[in-house]
Amino acid sequence: MFTAFLIKYAEIGIKGKNRYLFEDALVRQIRFALKPVEGEFDVTREQGRIYVIAGSAFDFDETVGALKRVFGISGICPVVIAEDEGFEKLAQDVTAYMDCQYPDKNRTFKVNVRRAKKSYPMSSMEANSELGGRLLDAFPELKVDVHKPDIMLNVEIRNRIYIYSDIIPGPGGMPVGTNGKAMLLLSGGIDSPVAGYMIAKRGVQIEAVYFHAPPYTSERAKQKVIDLARLVSRYSGPIRLHIVNFTEIQLYIYDQCPHDELTIIMRRYMMKIAERIGKETGCLGLITGESIGQVASQTIQSLAATNEVCTMPVFRPVIGFDKQEIVDVALKIDTYETSIQPFEDCCTIFVAKHPVTKPNLNAIKRSEVKLQEKIEEMLETAVNTADAVTVS
Ligand code: ATP
Ligand code: MG
């Protein structure tokens, strides 16, 4: 029955010039999301509304599923499109719609006609009351409630006629592409994919970096991160993932520095490299999956020590989340099952038995002096030899 969707989006903060940027980005993201869905879809913008019109047979659930991953959409309204063949035909179509959509008629309703086609020979008010009357005649159990109806039956009269009543909630947020780009430090864990999702939700395009340490971390660990990037890209759009070989740096730190400081020092170099790649690729911030107190390297002192090497803002959207709250999002966005696959993580290979939990920045910097001979060259090499893959 449905052959189109009216896309609703929040309009707060998108007045004036920004509105076009917002709508353009939204249309682009909708097209991207619908690409893998079978069927042909025309995404159109008319008179401040966005419609997705199916040009052929399509799978309703799959289409709605794809639209539910497009940030910026607040509601998805399945629409029946009818030809304008006079009021009698319209009354029949509206009655048939009501009958089919709501088998149980014990409800309240309101008809809401919008007449975008000004040549239509009836005013909106007239059409409202006439259609309402026809529905009451056809289904005597129905009742009108103009204030809080169970069913808001919308009828938009344009060149054709659009009938809809249901609003399926969208994900909210802003369309990706309306808020610049940031570099996600993506590991194989639960937290960083969630962090990337949350920042993408605010309209930020995601670029990602993964540090791997072959042969200490396997190809499968790397593949898991690629898989996670792909899962996040279902929401964010294509992600360019930079894969940095971190082995040499990690071994060098291991050889030169106190082992209880390894994790912190390693994390500082990860941030440095991420920032360098981020600068080259137009990113304006870094994103991590850190949460206060979760592990030794995420005490507030450790976070301060890690943060100290960055000049870009570091976005940590799960900073105040408990693990379970992060897991809940991971389950919702379908990254959880992949994240819990048991592959070694480059952070965990060289961890000390008793890592410092309250690192002293001066002590860390003194330890890093022992790296000065080779570290700069190693950083350069790591950045220059990084592989990049685009996932979507
Ligand atoms: P996650 O579940 O995201 O792996 P975590 O709880 O395991 O997080 P850590 O391993 O301490 O925490 O890492 C903290 C953050 O540092 C991660 O959320 C991620 O953003 C980044 N990170 C850690 N390891 C890597 C890696 N190998 N490659 C890229 N980023 C990493
Ligand atoms: Mg981790």
Side-chain angles (χ1 to χ4, degrees):
M1 173 166 79
F2 295 110
T3 55
F5 299 88
L6 167 65
I7 302 301
K8 301 223 167 199
Y9 51 89
E11 288 181 42
I12 304 155
I14 53 160
K15 297 283 174 244
K17 201 173 73 191
N18 288 339
R19 184 185 177 114
Y20 291 95
L21 294 176
F22 185 98
E23 289 178 346
D24 283 347
L26 189 52
V27 166
R28 192 170 59 238
Q29 294 302 115
I30 291 172
R31 289 194 178 126
F32 172 77
L34 290 175
K35 243 187 228 161
V37 179
E38 199 159 330
E40 273 167 42
F41 299 95
D42 188 16
V43 186
T44 63
R45 252 166 61 174
E46 40 175 305
Q47 295 161 354
R49 311 208 126 199
I50 294 175
Y51 291 95
V52 173
I53 297 177
S56 55
F58 70 105
D59 183 321
F60 182 87
D61 292 336
E62 207 189 324
T63 307
V64 170
L67 292 171
K68 277 179 142 178
R69 291 193 296 270
V70 179
F71 297 132
I73 295 182
S74 64
I76 304 154
C77 308
V79 177
V80 168
I81 300 184
E83 296 304 326
D84 177 9
E85 292 165 347
F87 186 77
E88 275 312 312
K89 175 69 173 26
L90 175 59
Q92 281 169 22
D93 288 340
V94 167
T95 308
Y97 177 95
M98 193 64 131
D99 203 18
C100 179
Q101 272 300 98
Y102 304 100
D104 173 10
K105 303 290 184 305
N106 215 335
R107 308 184 202 222
T108 61
F109 78 104
K110 174 184 176 177
V111 180
N112 178 34
V113 173
R114 251 183 90 185
R115 199 177 54 132
K117 183 181 176 182
K118 295 299 169 203
S119 64
Y120 198 76
M122 207 182 225
S123 74
S124 308
M125 294 283 273
E126 284 166 340
N128 275 337
S129 65
E130 193 60 31
L131 289 173
R134 296 293 182 98
L135 286 168
L136 290 170
D137 289 345
F139 312 112
E141 312 95 286
L142 283 176
K143 286 191 191 63
V144 172
D145 181 344
V146 292
H147 301 294
K148 268 191 147 190
D150 299 331
I151 304 166
M152 174 67 94
L153 186 67
N154 296 287
V155 177
E156 288 190 14
I157 302 174
R158 301 166 177 270
N159 286 331
R160 295 196 287 168
I161 293 175
Y162 297 67
I163 306 168
Y164 64 94
S165 56
D166 194 19
I167 304 183
I168 301 164
M174 316 270 284
V176 170
T178 54
N179 260 320
K181 185 158 74 167
M183 178 64 80
L184 169 65
L185 284 87
L186 182 62
S187 69
I190 296 169
D191 309 330
S192 45
V194 168
Y197 162 86
M198 289 177 71
I199 296 299
K201 184 164 185 270
R202 299 305 305 161
V204 179
Q205 192 189 335
I206 303 293
E207 185 113 6
V209 57
Y210 166 59
F211 297 92
H212 81 143
Y216 304 99
T217 57
S218 65
E219 272 305 297
R220 297 198 54 195
K222 177 170 118 183
Q223 187 57 44
K224 174 181 165 183
V225 174
I226 296 173
D227 293 344
L228 284 169
R230 187 168 290 121
L231 289 170
V232 175
S233 80
R234 281 155 47 97
Y235 295 89
S236 65
I239 295 178
R240 194 159 169 74
L241 171 65
H242 302 264
I243 299 167
V244 173
N245 187 322
F246 202 56
T247 313
E248 292 295 305
I249 293 175
Q250 216 163 9
L251 290 173
Y252 189 44
I253 299 171
Y254 192 79
D255 284 344
Q256 303 294 319
C257 300
H259 288 186
D260 60 350
E261 293 173 359
L262 283 181
T263 306
I264 288 294
I265 294 175
M266 202 179 74
R267 302 228 5 94
R268 281 163 59 92
Y269 284 106
M270 280 188 183
M271 298 296 260
K272 269 193 194 175
I273 294 172
E275 181 166 288
R276 287 197 194 180
I277 300 175
K279 277 190 178 146
E280 284 175 9
T281 53
C283 294
L284 296 175
L286 302 176
I287 307 165
T288 75
E290 291 159 311
S291 153
I292 293 176
Q294 200 187 78
V295 287
S297 59
Q298 295 174 29
T299 62
I300 203 158
Q301 293 83 357
S302 298
L303 288 167
T306 310
N307 200 78
E308 196 257 350
V309 299
C310 302
T311 58
M312 279 185 189
V314 181
F315 306 130
R316 299 178 173 90
V318 300
I319 195 74
F321 278 25
D322 295 345
K323 191 73 187 186
Q324 188 57 46
E325 292 173 303
I326 303 174
V327 165
D328 288 345
V329 181
L331 287 168
K332 184 179 86 175
I333 66 172
D334 221 17
T335 52
Y336 183 75
E337 287 301 320
T338 304
S339 288
I340 60 171
Q341 286 172 9
F343 299 121
E344 64 296 322
D345 172 331
C346 94
C347 271
T348 52
I349 304 290
F350 298 90
V351 284
K353 283 206 184 68
H354 301 288
V356 283
T357 54
K358 293 184 181 169
N360 173 299
L361 192 53
N362 291 326
I364 298 287
K365 285 184 170 173
R366 268 198 305 279
S367 301
E368 285 178 352
V369 172
K370 300 182 189 115
L371 302 171
Q372 69 190 6
E373 192 189 335
K374 291 203 246 166
I375 195 74
E376 184 50 40
E377 193 189 321
M378 287 177 145
L379 290 179
E380 284 291 304
T381 306
V383 170
N384 294 334
T385 61
D387 273 338
V389 288
T390 299
V391 298
S392 61

